[in-house]
Amino acid sequence: MAAPVESSGWFPALAIAVSLLKCLFINAYHSTDFEVHRNWLAITHSLPVSRWYYENTSEWTLDYPPLFAWFEYGLSQAAVHFDRGMLVVENLNYASPATILFQRLSVVFADLVFIYAVKECCTTVREEKAAKDLLRRPCFVLAVLLLWNFGLFIVDHIHFQYNGFLFGFLLLSVARHLQARHLEGALWFSIVLNLKHINLYVAPAYGIYLLRCFCFTQDNTDGSLRWRSFSPVRLVSLGAVVLSVTAASFGPFVAMGQLPQVLSRLFPFKRGLCHAYWAPNFWALYNVLDKALSMLGVRLGLLDVAGLPKASMTGGLVQEFQHAVLPSVSPPAALLCTLLAMLPALWCVWRWPSGGRGFLRCLVQCALASFMFSWHVHEKAVLLAVLPLSILAVESRRDAGMFLMLATTGHYSLFPLLFTPAEFPIKVLLMLLFTIYSFSALRNLFSGEGSLLHPLEALYLLGLVAVEVLCEVVFPLSPWQRTLPFVPLLVTSVYCALGVSYSFVRLYVSLLTQEVTEKTKRL
C-alpha cells in the first residue's frame, strides 16, 4: 500500500524546518564553487549565447550542459536586483554581502524541486500497514533521510552547489517510474541529463529498463521477454521525449556550429584519472597500491628513484597521476572498466525486470559502478547512489543495512570539503545527528527482523572515528604535518574507499542472489 503524504501536515513542517536551517548557513564558509557559479551568472547575463562556451577570463569556465547555462541565465535576471557587480565577467572572486545572500538563497529556493520530488517518492513507499506512531512510518523516515541528508546539506549549503535542485529532477524521474508513468519519468531524466551530464552514469539503467518494460509490453509465462510485443509507437514516443529536450538544450549551439566546443568543455579528459582529493573508489586503492609498490621497489633496489614519475613519489595527491609500477589508466580503459562493472546489473534488469524497484536497484548499482571506475570522479558523486538507495532502505532490512554502510562511509568521505576550523564542529554535529537518526529509525522500522549490520561492518564504521581522531588531532601535532601534508586526505580516501568498495560488492551480491531467487520462484 502506498503511503499517503498529501493528507498529513508533517511533510510541509519537515520541509520548512530544513529550509530555515539552510538559511542559518548563509554566511558560512563557501568553496571555489561559489565563484564558479557567480562567474556563470556573469557569463550568461553579460555575453551573447555564441560566447558562453568560449569565454575564459576566469579559470572557472562554463562546463555544464546548455540547459544548466539557461538556468544560470534565469537566475541572473533576479541577481540584477541584488548586486549588478556580480554579473560583470571581469569581477573575479566577487563576493559582496548581497552576492552571498543572493547565491545562498538561490540554492534554497531551487531546492523546492527537490522537496516536491521527495514528497512524490514518499507516496511510492510500500507500507504493509500504517503505523500509529508517525516516527515509525517508512514514508516519514524516507522524508527525513532525503530532506535532511547530511551529504547533500553540506555540499549545497556550506560548500556551495545546486545538487538538491538537480537531484530533485532525478528523484522525480524515479518516482514516476515507480508509479509506472514511464514517459514522464523519461522526460524528467532527459531534463536532468541536460542540466548536468554526470547523470550519464545512470543513463544505461534508464535505457535498458525503458526498452525492456516500456517498449516491450508483454512477457511470457516464465517471465522471459515476448519479442513480438515490441511497440514501435512507444519507442517513437520515448525517442520524441528524449530528443525534444536534447534539441532544445543543444540545438542553438548545433546551429551555430559550436557543438565540438561545447563537448570539449563537458568532457575535459586532460584533467587526469583522479581529482585533487581522491574520491574513495577503486582508483584510490589502485593509486595507493602503486605508491606502496614503488616505495618497496626503491627500498629493495628494484627501482631507480630518478626514473620514477615525480608525482608518484613526492607530489602527494595530485590531479595528473602517472603510475610508477602498475599500468597507467587511460580514459578508454576507465570507460571499459565502468561498462563491465555495470553489465551484470543491466543484464538483471533486462532478463528479470522486477518492476520499478528492479530498475531502482539497477540505477543504484550503475551509479556506484560509475563512482568506482569512471574517469576523474568527484567525491560528491557518491550521493548519486546514496539518495536513491534511501527509498529501498525503508522497505527492506537488507537494503537498510547496505544504506547505513554506504551512507555513513560516503558522507564521512565528504569531510575534507569543509576544512576550515569554524566548520569542524558543524560538520561533526550534523553528521552525528543524521547518522544516529538513520541507525535508530531504520532499526525501529525493522525491529524483530535481526541486526541491520554484521559486527565486522559495525566495527569498520567505528573505525571512522579513529580515522577522524588521527587526521584532526594526532597528525597536526606530529612532525609529518609539514613534510607530508597530504596524509590525512590519503588516509580518509583509502579508508573510505574500502567501505564504498565493500558496499558495491555487497549490493551486487544482494542484487544477483535476489534475481536468482525470483527466477527459481517462477520456475
Side-chain angles (χ1 to χ4, degrees):
M1 181 179 68
V5 177
E6 297 83 350
S7 59
S8 303
W10 59 262
F11 187 85
L14 277 179
I16 292 172
V18 75
S19 299
L20 293 175
L21 180 63
K22 295 169 183 176
C23 293
L24 295 179
F25 294 91
I26 286 177
N27 292 314
Y29 153 83
H30 56 258
S31 71
T32 53
D33 281 327
F34 182 89
E35 169 61 14
V36 169
H37 288 282
R38 186 218 58 83
N39 185 52
W40 294 358
L41 286 173
I43 289 174
T44 55
H45 184 269
S46 306
L47 301 178
V49 177
S50 59
R51 292 181 56 191
W52 285 3
Y53 284 92
Y54 286 93
E55 166 58 37
N56 61 0
T57 300
S58 167
E59 63 179 308
W60 312 117
T61 54
L62 182 58
D63 59 4
Y64 273 25
L67 200 57
F68 194 89
W70 286 110
F71 168 69
E72 293 278 6
Y73 173 80
L75 290 179
S76 73
Q77 303 310 299
V80 72
H81 300 292
F82 282 74
D83 185 347
R84 289 181 177 271
M86 77 175 87
L87 302 175
V88 178
V89 174
E90 291 74 21
N91 282 352
L92 303 183
N93 299 310
Y94 189 83
S96 67
T99 300
I100 293 173
L101 177 64
F102 171 76
Q103 290 199 237
R104 289 293 196 186
L105 290 180
S106 70
V107 180
V108 175
F109 279 98
D111 277 357
L112 291 174
V113 177
F114 183 72
I115 290 171
Y116 175 70
V118 171
K119 183 180 78 68
E120 291 300 300
C121 287
C122 289
T123 64
T124 68
V125 173
R126 293 171 176 170
E127 292 188 8
E128 297 300 328
K129 57 180 180 179
K132 294 181 180 180
D133 184 359
L134 175 63
L135 300 181
R136 297 174 67 95
R137 292 186 58 190
C139 62
F140 179 85
V141 175
L142 176 61
V144 176
L145 293 181
L146 291 174
L147 291 177
W148 295 76
N149 181 273
F150 164 77
L152 191 58
F153 188 93
I154 66 167
V155 168
D156 277 9
H157 301 282
I158 302 180
H159 181 79
F160 192 86
Q161 280 189 350
Y162 290 91
N163 290 290
F165 169 71
L166 299 168
F167 276 120
F169 287 103
L170 181 66
L171 291 180
L172 188 55
S173 171
V174 169
R176 294 299 180 247
H177 285 304
L178 291 174
Q179 296 162 350
R181 296 160 61 176
H182 297 305
L183 276 181
E184 191 179 344
L187 171 65
W188 294 122
F189 180 70
S190 299
I191 290 174
V192 75
L193 185 58
N194 281 277
L195 283 168
K196 191 171 184 179
H197 49 305
I198 191 177
N199 293 285
L200 279 170
Y201 287 172
V202 296
Y206 275 88
I208 297 298
Y209 175 71
L210 286 171
L211 180 63
R212 175 65 174 83
C213 295
F214 181 72
C215 295
F216 288 94
T217 59
Q218 293 180 352
D219 290 341
N220 294 315
T221 55
D222 62 352
S224 61
L225 177 64
R226 180 172 296 181
W227 292 94
R228 292 183 180 181
S229 67
F230 176 73
S231 172
V233 174
R234 290 194 171 197
L235 179 62
V236 170
S237 62
L238 183 62
V241 168
V242 175
L243 292 177
S244 61
V245 175
T246 305
S249 177
F250 285 87
F253 299 92
V254 173
M256 291 184 290
Q258 295 185 4
L259 184 61
Q261 174 65 17
V262 174
L263 294 179
S264 71
R265 287 283 185 85
L266 300 185
F267 302 100
F269 291 114
K270 293 182 180 180
R271 288 184 177 177
L273 175 65
C274 295
H275 194 246
Y277 159 48
W278 295 346
N281 59 10
F282 175 80
W283 301 125
L285 300 177
Y286 189 85
N287 289 345
V288 79
L289 177 61
D290 180 79
K291 278 184 173 289
L293 291 175
S294 64
M295 293 173 66
L296 180 63
V298 169
R299 176 161 296 189
L300 296 178
L302 301 176
L303 296 174
D304 181 11
V305 176
L308 294 177
K310 183 178 179 181
S312 73
M313 295 301 295
T314 62
L317 301 183
V318 294
Q319 288 186 326
E320 297 291 344
F321 191 93
Q322 293 296 320
H323 296 96
V325 179
L326 300 176
S328 291
V329 181
S330 64
L335 176 62
L336 179 61
C337 291
T338 303
L339 293 176
L340 290 175
M342 288 182 181
L343 276 179
L346 297 174
W347 167 249
C348 285
V349 82
W350 174 266
R351 185 64 181 86
W352 307 291
S354 304
R357 278 159 181 78
F359 155 72
L360 184 53
R361 293 181 186 281
C362 180
L363 183 149
V364 170
Q365 207 65 50
C366 286
L368 264 184
S370 299
F371 182 79
M372 288 289 295
F373 298 104
S374 286
W375 182 266
H376 197 75
V377 174
H378 287 239
E379 63 286 340
K380 298 178 287 289
V382 73
L383 297 176
L384 194 58
V386 171
L387 292 173
L389 183 58
S390 306
I391 302 173
L392 297 172
V394 299
E395 296 184 341
S396 160
R397 183 187 67 83
R398 181 164 54 176
D399 291 324
M402 289 183 283
F403 169 82
L404 293 175
M405 190 72 184
L406 178 62
T408 306
T409 306
H411 287 165
Y412 179 76
S413 74
L414 301 176
F415 264 36
L417 292 177
L418 306 182
F419 53 84
T420 58
E423 275 66 45
F424 175 76
I426 294 174
K427 66 183 181 182
V428 171
L429 177 61
L430 289 177
M431 179 163 176
L432 280 176
L433 289 175
F434 181 82
T435 304
I436 292 171
Y437 175 80
S438 300
F439 272 81
S440 61
L442 291 175
R443 185 176 64 247
N444 289 334
L445 278 183
F446 303 103
S447 58
E449 297 184 31
S451 176
L452 298 179
L453 294 176
H454 187 278
L456 291 179
E457 295 172 339
L459 183 62
Y460 167 84
L461 294 182
L462 286 175
L464 294 172
V465 178
V467 170
E468 183 65 6
V469 172
L470 173 67
C471 294
E472 296 291 342
V473 179
V474 177
F475 186 80
L477 300 176
S478 73
W480 300 310
Q481 184 183 17
R482 293 183 179 180
T483 57
L484 300 171
F486 58 85
V487 165
L489 291 178
L490 178 65
V491 171
T492 301
S493 178
V494 171
Y495 191 83
C496 291
L498 294 173
V500 174
S501 300
Y502 171 80
S503 300
F504 173 71
V505 173
R506 187 183 170 197
L507 278 165
Y508 243 134
V509 170
S510 175
L511 173 66
L512 296 175
T513 54
Q514 180 174 331
E515 298 302 342
V516 170
T517 301
E518 291 188 5
K519 180 182 178 181
T520 304
K521 289 180 179 179
R522 292 190 188 104
L523 297 176

